[in-house]
Amino acid sequence: MGATFWSYVVPYTGDVTTTLATLHQQVFEQEYASDYASLAELWDDEEFMNEAGTATVLDTPRIADTTEPPSYGTLRPLTPERVQHHLGTDRPTLNQYQHAEPQLAREGTRWSGHYLLLWEDGAPTRVAFWGATGD
């Protein structure tokens, strides 16, 4: 079948979990609201979610607050060493992320992903979420 890579860059709301919840709702409304009554109903459709998935951020409903190897359906931060390796700084900008995105895509494990705060003028302003769905 093959894996499908996906990525999003969205405004940072001050909390990664809240930012992700907002993104989940937006993607659900754009892609699945005509087929499911709610995001929870989509996630409860185990047959669809476990076999096909959405090939979107909806396949990763949880934030893992660790950089340890991923568990199914989670997003986790890159280690500081990997951020430095790919981006050359601990406070990457949107432009730096966009330039490094092809290499960052290789950091992932199927059915999981990563997130990264993006900075502007000394403050985090966006969050990049990326990952892969499929085998």
Side-chain angles (χ1 to χ4, degrees), residues 61-135:
R62 296 177 307 284
I63 294 287
D65 292 326
T66 178
T67 57
E68 294 301 313
S71 60
Y72 178 84
T74 61
L75 292 159
R76 67 190 196 289
L78 283 180
T79 65
E81 296 81 18
R82 299 312 295 163
V83 173
Q84 281 289 336
H85 171 79
H86 288 295
L87 299 151
T89 179
D90 62 347
R91 292 186 173 191
T93 64
L94 174 60
N95 191 28
Q96 289 168 315
Y97 169 76
Q98 290 171 329
H99 181 72
E101 188 176 33
Q103 293 81 27
L104 291 167
R106 293 186 215 130
E107 288 282 334
T109 302
R110 305 302 185 244
W111 298 98
S112 66
H114 289 92
Y115 69 88
L116 180 66
L117 292 176
L118 303 177
W119 296 73
E120 186 176 317
D121 298 326
T125 58
R126 294 180 179 92
V127 183
F129 295 101
W130 71 93
T133 299
D135 299 321

Side-chain angles (χ1 to χ4, degrees), residues 11-110:
Y12 179 53
T13 64
D15 174 78
V16 174
T17 301
T18 302
T19 303
L20 179 61
T22 299
L23 176 60
H24 279 153
Q25 193 59 44
Q26 290 170 347
V27 173
F28 171 77
E29 289 172 9
Q30 292 169 354
E31 303 288 332
Y32 292 94
S34 63
D35 299 319
Y36 294 90
S38 68
L39 181 54
E41 183 180 293
L42 170 66
W43 282 336
D44 285 343
D45 185 347
E46 291 182 18
E47 183 178 346
F48 174 71
M49 292 302 293
N50 290 335
E51 291 182 21
T54 66
T56 72
V57 70
L58 297 177
D59 295 328
T60 54
R62 296 177 307 284
I63 294 287
D65 292 326
T66 178
T67 57
E68 294 301 313
S71 60
Y72 178 84
T74 61
L75 292 159
R76 67 190 196 289
L78 283 180
T79 65
E81 296 81 18
R82 299 312 295 163
V83 173
Q84 281 289 336
H85 171 79
H86 288 295
L87 299 151
T89 179
D90 62 347
R91 292 186 173 191
T93 64
L94 174 60
N95 191 28
Q96 289 168 315
Y97 169 76
Q98 290 171 329
H99 181 72
E101 188 176 33
Q103 293 81 27
L104 291 167
R106 293 186 215 130
E107 288 282 334
T109 302
R110 305 302 185 244

